Amino acid sequence: MNALSITGLVKTYGDSVHALKGIDLDVLEGDFFALLGPNGAGKSTIIGIICSLVNKSAGSVQVFGHDIDVETEAAKASIGLVPQEFNFNVFEPVLPTLLNVAGYNGINRQVALKRAEYYLKKLDLWEKRRTPARQLSGGMKRRLMIARALIHEPRLLILDEPTAGVDLEIRRSMWDFFSELNKQHGTTIILTTHYLEEAEAMCRNVAIIDGGKIVEQGDVAQLLSRSMQETFVLDTRANPEQVPQLSPFVVRLLDQNRLEVDVPKGHTLNDMFHRLSDTGIEVTSLRNKTNRLEEFFMRLVNSQSEKLQ
Ligand SMILES: Nc1ncnc2c1ncn2[C@@H]1O[C@H](COP(=O)(O)OP(=O)(O)O)[C@@H](O)[C@H]1O
Ligand SMILES: [Mg+2]
């Protein structure tokens, strides 16, 4: 079953800000899924629409088979959201913050207390249960929002930039917590991030979003390995019957006199020419095929370093 199904999702803010230009996305139940993209890509807009906080311009969204336009409450009840911005009452202490949300969700007080204790201990906030939220550090505030999103034990947890402004050590412990939640409780998790290593550390599948469109989608490990290579298109004099197996180079036959070859980082074009000529294939010219993924990661890295400056 799909935890999330999005088809043809479009969002235009006002008349001219085309934040989403037609998004199709499926997330399987039990998946750990990353929406990866630079700032302004449209990640928070997608999250806002899934959670019925932002009105879409076109398209449809289903959460565990509940259409958000038709069965809005059922869809919302199955989601726990940790938004990008802090949005709790800063004067309220930690424990009452959780108990009030539990009460709002119709959870019995005894059950709510047990769950609050469990999640606050897990998230290293139990000692702070009587502290007003405004006295917490940035990382603690983020963890309070995570505990609050889990108090009704949703089947789908959505985290919008969960580790922004959190220092590295705590970030790693949060990664462990989310992985455990996904593996042991089977909670489907979707997170947005502009940190490649965050998607790599935790997630199984990823959609890369840029300028309101999905540019790549698939298995995290596969996408990363594809970004670690360059692809060349070669004109050749030979006319190979079969595609030569030249591992670690991956060769594809385009047509009679043209090959496409993936060259992993760390291997030279010279190596490739030698291997091809060993099989009797002579290269007459070559050009670099632009690699969308490579370009995307370059821009992602650049936009991160701009932010740090
Ligand atoms: N409330 C809003 N009104 C107008 N434009 C918005 C609003 N929210 C987001 N946008 C614009 O929509 C685009 C996508 O934003 P957002 O979804 O926040 O991206 P991300 O979360 O990937 O950084 C950006 O160009 C942003 O400026
Ligand atoms: Mg955002």
Side-chain angles (χ1 to χ4, degrees), residues 59-100:
S60 73
V61 177
Q62 297 191 336
V63 182
F64 296 104
H66 303 295
D67 189 301
I68 61 163
D69 292 336
V70 184
E71 298 175 279
T72 314
E73 289 312 313
K76 278 167 74 174
S78 55
I79 301 173
L81 169 67
V82 181
Q84 191 169 355
E85 311 291 339
F86 300 130
N87 66 345
F88 41 67
N89 174 354
V90 294
F91 298 103
E92 196 170 41
V94 167
L95 187 59
T97 298
L98 297 192
L99 296 179
N100 287 340

Side-chain angles (χ1 to χ4, degrees), residues 13 17 19 37-46 84 160-161:
Y13 289 105
V17 181
N39 287 311
K43 304 181 297 295
S44 293
T45 301
I46 297 178
Q84 191 169 355
D160 199 357
E161 310 260 354

